[in-house]
Amino acid sequence: MIVQQLLNGLVIGSVYALTAMGATLVYGILRILDLANAGAYAIGAYAGLFLYLSTGNILLSFAGAIALTGFFGFVVQRYLYIPVLDRPPIVPLIASIGLFIFIQDLLRLVAGPRIREFQASLPFGAIKTETLTINPTWILIIVLTAALLAFLWYLLAYTKIGLAWRATAQDLEIAKAMGVNINQVVAYNFLLGYAFAATAGIMVGMLYNSVFPTMGDVPAYKMLALIVLGGLGNPVGTVAAAVMIGLIETLIAGYIGFFLPRDAIAFVALIIILLIKPEGLMSRKA
Amino acid sequence: MTANSILSVRNLQKHFGGLKAIDTVSFEVNKGETLGVIGPNGAGKTTLFNTICGVYEPTAGEVLLGTQAIHGLKPHQIARLGVARTFQISHPFRDMTVLDNVIMAMGGSHYTGLKGIFSISRTHDNISKAEALLAKLHILAQRDKRAGDLSLGYMRRLEIARALALEPKLLLLDEPCAGLSHDATQEFIDIISQLKATGTTIMLVEHNMAIAMTVCDRLVVLNYGVKIAEGPPAAIKNNTLVIEAYLGRDDDIA
């Protein structure tokens, strides 16, 4: 039972981590809170669902949705954020809220307001032992999240673009003076961030067997809280915070059977942690 | 333009609203020389640097690197073309190691195109090149330290190593000795002399006349955005306009 609950928490935490990662990277470099990243989560879920319904191939559905949403991220940064980058931070924030609402209404218009089912058959079965059942979607979520985060870690730690990324996050002006093309760094950042969000969206759609236009709402609020909790733009901190919140809400909901819904538990936990550690779990030293 | 001119600045102007921070300034930097830009506080020295490096777009005038016009280009393009700079206030990438700071600036071409995504940062080649630069600036022993933990003098050296990693045609140093102790300043003068000896072309902004006189081959003197004198240190020292600019009015002295 405990293992089952821990795994469940890890699954939820993985999804949170992927959802918040794109926004974490963007905040790290541009100091912009990109709420629309949660819109990419919904776009990814719909794109994945429709590709799956038309092709019946889950691999193709992931690949297509990731490519499409990543491209959307590229367009968003190029034509929405880069032009308003010189303005006070409130301007890109409002732009991102506007884009988020626009995405939700667009999805409602195109795909209808009702909840759609996402029943995908995966090419592998559940892992069953006497006490434990790990269903295929859980396996997919844990493995795919681990793979994507490992890929991101590799980029940041071992490649030139990763160095440029870290340098830009620390000092944009100096990075420029050292030959880093900021626009290119930001473009890759959005491409990857939105692709991550899309992946999370598809997986959550499959996990809860539901895809709907406002499915990005709660992840958007949690994403903001996780970015703060993770130390504002620190990818490792965001992963730690995401897994922690995933575990806390699952364990409290599963064992104590709290009178609050699990999303509320997550936010209460976030508030308590931030009261104790207002600088976040892993804040950067000045 | 002389045949061995690396940088030529022609009738450069930078205005901020009604303020003429740089007012029709022209000069050349020749290959292998160390040109000092001096002047009282607020003379426009750092603005001149920022305009050359593309941080500010010039209001009018031209900047040529060799024969190529670079005014109007973006800072990263100018850096890749071979103008590397340091900053008056030291800004290493604090959370990265000293070594990574240098590797990050190496090979601007690594960042272009798709191959840039996957090119590995710590290749054997990159590490040995970066180590050579750190050795040149006498900070090889600090290689694996977090850059933010270095002393100010070491940070300044790291900034120069990082700028040299761009393999620049021209190195711009913005008051490299500001805030350093007497001994550290002396060490820095040695480092600059050593760079000169290896053929690096340097343009140096300096507030301190004594340092500028020691290390520079030629000086350009700015006052209120206008070039008031140009020539070898010995001539500048006795130039009445320069003496007036520095000593003429009390409020000019920092």
Side-chain angles (χ1 to χ4, degrees), chain B residues 132-252:
Chain B
L133 286 172
L134 293 176
K136 195 170 181 177
L137 275 301
H138 309 292
I139 47 171
L140 185 55
Q142 324 295 323
R143 184 198 121 126
D144 295 315
K145 274 199 182 151
R146 183 177 164 273
D149 295 336
L150 296 179
S151 68
L152 180 62
Y154 280 167
M155 278 189 193
R156 287 267 165 76
R157 293 183 194 198
L158 172 58
E159 279 202 288
I160 294 183
R162 193 176 62 183
L164 289 174
L166 286 161
E167 298 178 7
K169 299 186 179 106
L170 174 67
L171 179 64
L172 305 184
L173 304 176
D174 195 353
E175 296 205 29
C177 298
L180 295 187
S181 69
H182 181 75
D183 288 350
T185 301
Q186 205 53 49
E187 284 171 27
F188 230 91
I189 291 173
D190 293 344
I191 285 173
I192 294 170
S193 311
Q194 188 197 334
L195 288 175
K196 284 171 69 171
T198 52
T200 312
T201 309
I202 300 172
M203 186 172 149
L204 175 89
V205 159
E206 191 48 74
H207 182 68
N208 183 320
M209 277 277 250
I211 295 171
M213 295 284 171
T214 314
V215 299
C216 297
D217 304 315
R218 225 152 47 83
L219 296 174
V220 164
V221 189
L222 293 183
N223 195 24
Y224 294 111
V226 179
K227 183 172 87 172
I228 56 169
E230 180 176 357
I236 294 295
K237 205 184 254 175
N238 300 316
N239 184 309
T240 45
L241 277 175
V242 177
I243 295 168
E244 249 173 48
Y246 269 86
L247 304 171
R249 294 217 311 262
D250 282 347
D251 58 354
D252 277 350

Side-chain angles (χ1 to χ4, degrees), chain B residues 39-158:
Chain B
N41 276 345
K45 304 182 297 280
T46 296
T47 306
L48 176 66
F49 257 34
N50 283 335
T51 311
I52 291 172
C53 292
V55 176
Y56 303 139
E57 202 171 321
T59 309
E62 296 181 315
V63 181
L64 303 182
L65 183 66
T67 54
Q68 184 178 9
I70 58 167
H71 52 274
L73 294 182
K74 297 250 184 299
H76 74 268
Q77 294 171 318
I78 293 173
R80 287 179 189 177
L81 285 172
V83 180
R85 68 175 298 187
T86 66
F87 292 80
Q88 206 174 101
I89 298 161
S90 275
H91 288 287
F93 298 113
R94 309 182 70 91
D95 287 338
M96 296 178 3
T97 64
V98 168
L99 186 71
D100 280 347
N101 262 271
V102 177
I103 290 179
M104 156 304 117
M106 278 173 18
S109 62
H110 292 180
Y111 292 138
T112 52
L114 277 172
K115 73 181 159 77
I117 307 180
F118 291 111
S119 72
I120 305 298
S121 52
R122 290 193 168 207
T123 59
H124 189 74
D125 196 34
N126 285 353
I127 290 175
S128 56
K129 272 189 201 160
E131 283 181 344
L133 286 172
L134 293 176
K136 195 170 181 177
L137 275 301
H138 309 292
I139 47 171
L140 185 55
Q142 324 295 323
R143 184 198 121 126
D144 295 315
K145 274 199 182 151
R146 183 177 164 273
D149 295 336
L150 296 179
S151 68
L152 180 62
Y154 280 167
M155 278 189 193
R156 287 267 165 76
R157 293 183 194 198
L158 172 58

Side-chain angles (χ1 to χ4, degrees), chain A residues 2 31 38 65 74 89 98 110 114 148 153 179 191 246 253 255-256 262 266 271 280:
Chain A
I2 177 76
R31 301 287 183 270
F74 176 81
V110 173
R114 69 189 175 85
L148 287 177
W153 169 261
L191 205 73
Y255 279 103
I256 305 175
R262 50 186 304 152
I271 291 167

